[in-house]
C-alpha cells in the first residue's frame, strides 16, 4: 500500500504542513522572498537566482519533507524522486529568456535563463538542494494533472522504482507537494492512503479547497 | 488500483510498431543505413542566422521550414504519422516526450507579432498529436530534459508491466530552433563543426531534430492482435545526480544507480548486456561521466556507441530514437559504429569504435541518457 506521509503547500499569503497541522501567514511579515531562512533547514545556495516556479516548487517540497519527517542535509543523498506538473510548461521562463536574447541583439542570452526553459528544471533545483537521487521529471496533463502525478508516483513506488516520491503541482502563485511512501511498519503516522488521496483529487479543486479537504482528514485522524 | 496489480502481475512490455523522421530522412531504415554508411547528417544550416553563435551546423530535416501557420514539430509529426496512424489503436494511452515542443511558435510571436506566446504550451501540442494519431486519450506530457523520451518509455513499460494499461503510444519530438540553438551556444556547449562523441578531441554537441513514436503493448495483447513484436523494454532505471543543473556528476553515481536499477528491473546481470547505446553527446564532461559509470558497472569492456555524431542531439526525442536503433542492432546482430570518431579518448579506448562490430550472442542492450538537472535514465531492451 502507498500512503501520503505529508503535504507541503504555499500560496501568496501562507504556507503550511498538513499532517503536522501547521499554517503560517507571511504577508506583511517576511514576504515571499524572505521565507528561505524559515523554510529550508540549511542555506539554499543561489536561491535568489531561481525563477519563481522553481522557488515555489522548492518551498513546497521543503514543507512536504518536513511534514513527512524526512531529514535532509547538504551531505545526504537519498533515493527519493520528484515529479511535478503545472499548467503552462515553462512559458514564463521561455518568455523571459527569449526577450533577454532579443534585448541582446539576437547574439547571446543569459545561460542561466535558458536553463529554466526546461519544465523539469524546478525539480532539478529541488533535487540538488534536498539531495533527491530518485527519478525526477515533469509530467503534466490537460486535465487533473495533480491526480495524474499522484497516480504516477504511486505506480512507481508499487513497482519499487524508488523509495519515496514527491508529487505535486505549481501554479503562478502557489504550489502543493505530497510525500508518498510505501506502507512502512516503522512509521504508521500517515495522513491517508494514496487511493483516498486520489479520490479527493479526482474532484479537481483549487489549492485552497484542497488544503482544507486534506486538513480535515488530519482532524478526523486526531479525534 | 493495487488490486489490479496483484491480479495482473509482471506483463512484458513489447514494442509492436515504431517509426521516426530524422535528419537522415523518414523511416528507421534511413537512420540505420545512414549510420552504417559512417556519414553524418550534420551540416551548415540556413534556418536562422547563426553568425553570433558558436557553430553554424546542425542536423536538420530536409524540407522543414519556419512556416506562417505551422510548427516544425507538427510538420515532422504529419510526415511521421500519415502512414502509421491506422495501426495505432484508438484506446492507446498517449505520452508525449519533449523538451521544447512547438517553441518556434513563441519565437514567431516575438519576432513577427503573429500568434500568441501561449501557442507553444505543450498541452496544445499534445492535443494535436492525439488527434493526428487518432487516440481517445487526452494523454500526458513527460519532460525530463534530454532524457525525456527514455523516461516516457520507462513510464509506458512500467504501466504495462504493472497492469495499468496494455497499450501505450509514446511520441517524442524536438526541433532545431533559434531559441534552442542560441541557448546551447550561450552555454558554450556546441561543437563548431560536427559532434565527435568519445573522441579525444571532442569539444561539444551538435543539435539535431527528430519526431519519433513507438507503440507499446502487453505481450498478451500483442499476441492476441497478431502484432509483429520488434522487441521488449525489459528493464528501466531512473535517477538524478542531485549535483548540478548543467554539469554531469564527477563521480557518475547517478548514472551508476540508474544502470543498476535497470539491470535489476530486467532481472539481468551485467554479463547479459551485449552492447551499450550511450547518450554520447560529444561534450567533454558528459562522455567522461558515462565512461566512468560503464567502467564502474561492467567488469569487461563492452561495445559502446553513440548516434549523435550522425544525427546530432535530438534532445527530448533522443532516447526513443536510440532505443529503436538499439532494437534494430539487436535484430541485425551488429553494433553500430560511432560516426566522427577518430581517436577514442583513453577511458573509451576498446569500448567505442568507428567500425561496425558483430554482436556477440548476447540478447540484451543497454541504452543510457542524461540531461540537465542531473537526470539519468537507463533502459534494458531485448
Amino acid at each position: 500500500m502507498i500512503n501520503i506521509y505529508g503535504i507541503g503547500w504555499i500560496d501568496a499569503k501562507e504556507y503550511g504542513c498538513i499532517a503536522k497541522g501547521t499554517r503560517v501567514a507571511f504577508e506583511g511579515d517576511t514576504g515571499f522572498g524572505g521565507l528561505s531562512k524559515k523554510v529550508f533547514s540549511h542555506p539554499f545556495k543561489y536561491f535568489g537566482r531561481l525563477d519563481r516556479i522553481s522557488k515555489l516548487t522548492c518551498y513546497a517540497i521543503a514543507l512536504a519533507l518536513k511534514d513527512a519527517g524526512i531529514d535532509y542535509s547538504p551531505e545526504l543523498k537519498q533515493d527519493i524522486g520528484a515529479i511535478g506538473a503545472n499548467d503552462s510548461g515553462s512559458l514564463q521562463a521561455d518568455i523571459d529568456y527569449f526577450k533577454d536574447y532579443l534585448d541582446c541583439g539576437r547574439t547571446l542570452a543569459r545561460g542561466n535563463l535558458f536553463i529554466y526553459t526546461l519544465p523539469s528544471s524546478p525539480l532539478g533545483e529541488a533535487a540538488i538542494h534536498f539531495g533527491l537521487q530518485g527519478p525526477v521529471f515533469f509530467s503534466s496533463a490537460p486535465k487533473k494533472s495533480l491526480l495524474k502525478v499522484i497516480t504516477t508516483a504511486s505506480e512507481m513506488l508499487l513497482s519499487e522504482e524508488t523509495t519515496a516520491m514527491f508529487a505535486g503541482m505549481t501554479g503562478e502563485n502557489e504550489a502543493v507537494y505530497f510525500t508518498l511512501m510505501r506502507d512502512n511498519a516503522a512509521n504508521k503516522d500517515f495522513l491517508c492512503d494514496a487511493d483516498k488521496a486520489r479520490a479527493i483529487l479526482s474532484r479537481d479543486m483549487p489549492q485552497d479547497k484542497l488544503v482544507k479537504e486534506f486538513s480535515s482528514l488530519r482532524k478526523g485522524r486526531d479525534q | 488500483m493495487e488490486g489490479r496489480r496483484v491480479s495482473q502481475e509482471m506483463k512484458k512490455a513489447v514494442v509492436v510498431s515504431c517509426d521516426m523522421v530524422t535528419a537522415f530522412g523518414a523511416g528507421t531504415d534511413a537512420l540505420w543505413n545512414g549510420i552504417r554508411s559512417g556519414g553524418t547528417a550534420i551540416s551548415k544550416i540556413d534556418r536562422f542566422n547563426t553568425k553570433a553563435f558558436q557553430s553554424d551546423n546542425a542536423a536538420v530535416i530536409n524540407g522543414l521550414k519556419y512556416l506562417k501557420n505551422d510548427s516544425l514539430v507538427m510538420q515532422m509529426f504529419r510526415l511521421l504519422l500519415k502512414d502509421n496512424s491506422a495501426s495505432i489503436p484508438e484506446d492507446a494511452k498517449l505520452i508525449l516526450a519533449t523538451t521544447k515542443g512547438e517553441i518556434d511558435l513563441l519565437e514567431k510571436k516575438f519576432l513577427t507579432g503573429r500568434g500568441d506566446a501561449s501557442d507553444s504550451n505543450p498541452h496544445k501540442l499534445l492535443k494535436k498529436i492525439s488527434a493526428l494519431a487518432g487516440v481517445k486519450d487526452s494523454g500526458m506530457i513527460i519532460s525530463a530534459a534530454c532524457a525525456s523520451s527514455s523516461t516516457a518509455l520507462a513510464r509506458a513499460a512500467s504501466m504495462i508491466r504493472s497492469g495499468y494499461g496494455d497499450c501505450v503510444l509514446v511520441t517524442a519530438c524536438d526541433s532545431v530552433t533559434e531559441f534552442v540553438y542560441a541557448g546551447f551556444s550561450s552555454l558554450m556547449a556546441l561543437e563548431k563543426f560536427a559532434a565527435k562523441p568519445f573522441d579525444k578531441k571532442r569539444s561539444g554537441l551538435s543539435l539535431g531534430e527528430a519526431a519519433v513514436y513507438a507503440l507499446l503493448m502487453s505481450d498478451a495483447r500483442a499476441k492476441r492482435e497478431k502484432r509483429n513484436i520488434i522487441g521488449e523494454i525489459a528493464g528501466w532505471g531512473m535517477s538524478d545526480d542531485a549535483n548540478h543543473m548543467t554539469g554531469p556528476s564527477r563521480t557518475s553515481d547517478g548514472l551508476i544507480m540508474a544502470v543498476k536499477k535497470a539491470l535489476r528491473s530486467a532481472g539481468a546481470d551485467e554479463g547479459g548486456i551485449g552492447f551499450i547505446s550511450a547518450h554520447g553527446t560529444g561534450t567533454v564532461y558528459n562522455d567522461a561521466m558515462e565512461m566512468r559509470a560503464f567502467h564502474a558497472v561492467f567488469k569487461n569492456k563492452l561495445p559502446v556507441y553513440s548516434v549523435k555524431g550522425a544525427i546530432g542531439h535530438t534532445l527530448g526525442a533522443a532516447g526513443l530514437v536510440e532505443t529503436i536503433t538499439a532494437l534494430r542492432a539487436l535484430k541485425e546482430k551488429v553494433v553500430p559504429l560511432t560516426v566522427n570518431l577518430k581517436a577514442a579518448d583513453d577511458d573509451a579506448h576498446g569500448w567505442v569504435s568507428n567500425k561496425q562490430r558483430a554482436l556477440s550472442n548476447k540478447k540484451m542492450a543497454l541504452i543510457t541518457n542524461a540531461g540537465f538537472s542531473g537526470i539519468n535514465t537507463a533502459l534494458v531492451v531485448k
Side-chain angles (χ1 to χ4, degrees):
Chain A
M1 184 182 278
I2 307 302
N3 297 320
I4 309 296
Y5 281 83
I7 304 173
W9 61 274
I10 183 165
D11 62 25
K13 295 176 181 169
E14 298 173 296
Y15 63 89
C17 297
I18 289 180
K20 292 200 186 309
T22 57
R23 189 179 193 117
V24 180
F26 62 85
E27 201 174 47
D29 173 15
T30 56
F32 174 77
L35 291 178
S36 170
K37 284 180 186 163
K38 293 187 175 182
V39 173
F40 302 126
S41 69
H42 62 86
F44 197 126
K45 230 175 172 180
Y46 311 123
F47 189 69
R49 288 190 198 172
L50 271 56
D51 71 341
R52 188 171 176 82
I53 287 189
S54 298
K55 283 179 179 165
L56 282 164
T57 302
C58 290
Y59 278 146
I61 290 179
L63 294 162
L65 272 159
K66 190 176 179 185
D67 207 25
I70 301 173
D71 293 328
Y72 62 95
S73 73
E75 297 78 32
L76 181 65
K77 289 187 182 182
Q78 306 178 74
D79 185 5
I80 298 175
I83 53 174
N86 67 53
D87 287 331
S88 61
S90 51
L91 182 61
Q92 192 53 52
D94 293 346
I95 292 170
D96 293 344
Y97 156 77
F98 203 63
K99 275 186 173 173
D100 183 67
Y101 167 70
L102 295 180
D103 289 346
C104 292
R106 291 170 89 171
T107 52
L108 283 177
R110 277 177 283 171
N112 187 54
L113 294 179
F114 181 59
I115 291 164
Y116 295 109
T117 67
L118 289 170
S120 47
S121 287
L123 296 163
E125 292 285 10
I128 293 167
H129 183 72
F130 302 115
L132 310 179
Q133 263 196 317
V136 169
F137 60 94
F138 169 89
S139 178
S140 193
K143 287 178 192 168
K144 296 182 181 173
S145 268
L146 188 53
L147 172 64
K148 287 207 175 176
V149 291
I150 298 292
T151 302
T152 301
S154 302
E155 289 174 7
M156 292 174 71
L157 288 166
L158 280 172
S159 306
E160 301 186 359
E161 294 179 36
T162 186
T163 60
M165 288 290 291
F166 296 106
M169 186 153 179
T170 304
E172 205 176 319
N173 287 307
E174 60 190 20
V176 60
Y177 269 79
F178 291 59
T179 311
L180 294 93
M181 285 187 273
R182 280 189 293 275
D183 198 19
N184 177 352
N187 184 0
K188 292 288 178 194
D189 193 19
F190 56 85
L191 192 65
C192 64
D193 66 44
D195 285 346
K196 172 80 179 169
R198 283 159 37 83
I200 294 170
L201 294 172
S202 67
R203 284 187 268 136
D204 209 12
M205 58 190 84
Q207 185 173 303
D208 57 343
K209 285 196 175 158
L210 181 151
V211 169
K212 263 188 201 161
E213 193 85 19
F214 280 95
S215 296
S216 72
L217 292 182
R218 180 188 165 271
K219 283 171 191 157
R221 190 186 59 169
D222 289 348
Q223 281 163 3
Chain B
M1 184 173 81
E2 291 170 29
R4 197 167 16 155
R5 180 173 184 260
V6 172
S7 61
Q8 302 180 19
E9 286 188 343
M10 298 298 281
K11 294 177 174 182
K12 285 182 186 171
V14 295
V15 178
V16 297
S17 169
C18 59
D19 206 352
M20 63 177 75
V21 52
T22 68
F24 276 132
T28 50
D29 282 351
L31 175 67
W32 183 251
N33 294 330
I35 293 170
R36 291 185 73 176
S37 74
T40 180
I42 300 165
S43 62
K44 278 197 177 180
I45 53 169
D46 57 7
R47 189 173 286 170
F48 45 83
N49 190 343
T50 53
K51 205 173 156 188
F53 303 143
Q54 253 189 310
S55 168
D56 54 5
N57 289 280
V60 298
I61 294 166
N62 201 14
L64 238 61
K65 284 180 186 151
Y66 277 133
L67 296 176
K68 200 173 171 184
N69 296 314
D70 207 4
S71 66
L72 294 163
V73 294
M74 279 309 292
Q75 292 172 57
M76 288 190 239
F77 270 118
R78 282 196 197 90
L79 194 62
L80 180 68
L81 292 173
K82 68 175 182 189
D83 297 326
N84 289 311
S85 57
S87 68
I88 298 166
E90 63 175 20
D91 68 334
K93 292 182 187 298
L94 173 65
I95 302 178
L96 166 65
T98 187
T99 63
K100 293 311 313 161
E102 295 183 293
I103 196 64
D104 45 326
L105 300 182
L106 181 140
E107 288 180 353
K108 202 172 289 176
K109 166 66 185 166
F110 284 98
L111 294 174
T112 69
R114 277 199 299 271
D116 192 285
S118 66
D119 292 341
S120 65
N121 185 320
H123 289 140
K124 293 189 178 177
L125 175 60
L126 183 66
K127 197 174 175 185
K128 292 177 199 172
I129 292 170
S130 174
L132 201 60
V135 297
K136 286 181 180 166
D137 186 28
S138 56
M140 65 155 76
I141 296 151
I142 287 185
S143 193
C146 300
S148 293
S149 55
S150 42
T151 300
L153 272 174
R155 284 304 311 135
S158 179
M159 285 160 69
I160 289 170
R161 182 186 279 184
S162 307
Y164 301 127
D166 66 357
C167 181
V168 185
L169 175 66
V170 180
T171 60
C173 63
D174 266 313
S175 57
V176 175
T177 59
E178 185 174 350
F179 183 105
V180 171
Y181 206 96
F184 276 97
S185 186
S186 70
L187 294 173
M188 306 301 284
L190 297 179
E191 158 72 44
K192 188 165 174 54
F193 300 108
K196 301 185 279 283
F198 300 110
D199 194 274
K200 269 185 180 166
K201 292 187 177 170
R202 68 185 184 274
S203 61
L205 60 86
S206 296
L207 287 168
E209 61 191 3
V212 53
Y213 87 89
L215 184 66
L216 273 66
M217 281 185 179
S218 64
D219 57 337
R221 179 165 174 175
K223 281 174 191 160
R224 198 168 60 240
E225 294 187 5
K226 297 186 170 53
R227 297 274 187 160
N228 173 41
I229 294 177
I230 296 165
E232 180 189 343
I233 310 297
W236 51 91
M238 294 182 274
S239 69
D240 195 277
D241 293 339
N243 176 57
H244 193 273
M245 285 301 283
T246 54
S249 163
R250 299 290 176 112
T251 63
S252 308
D253 54 343
L255 185 58
I256 291 167
M257 179 192 270
V259 171
K260 286 183 174 174
K261 281 184 178 183
L263 291 171
R264 193 165 59 241
S265 167
D269 60 31
E270 51 99 8
I273 300 295
F275 65 83
I276 301 170
S277 163
H279 194 52
T281 59
T283 65
V284 171
Y285 295 113
N286 171 83
D287 294 5
M289 181 278 289
E290 284 195 278
M291 286 314 306
R292 253 192 321 271
F294 301 153
H295 280 272
V297 175
F298 297 95
K299 290 182 197 116
N300 301 310
K301 287 181 180 178
L302 273 182
V304 171
Y305 68 90
S306 163
V307 302
K308 292 187 176 73
I311 57 163
H313 188 346
T314 57
L315 305 177
L320 186 46
V321 168
E322 290 158 17
T323 299
I324 292 169
T325 308
L327 287 170
R328 180 70 177 261
L330 283 171
K331 185 185 166 199
E332 306 270 351
K333 298 191 189 311
V334 293
V335 181
L337 56 95
T338 296
V339 173
N340 296 336
L341 178 72
K342 285 190 178 140
D345 207 353
D346 292 345
D347 56 359
H349 188 74
W351 297 70
V352 296
S353 174
N354 54 14
K355 292 193 171 53
Q356 182 175 288
R357 288 167 282 182
L359 179 61
S360 66
N361 57 2
K362 292 178 182 171
K363 299 198 176 350
M364 285 189 283
L366 176 73
I367 298 110
T368 56
N369 291 104
F372 282 177
S373 300
I375 295 171
N376 304 288
T377 59
L379 300 172
V380 173
V381 297
K382 61 183 183 185

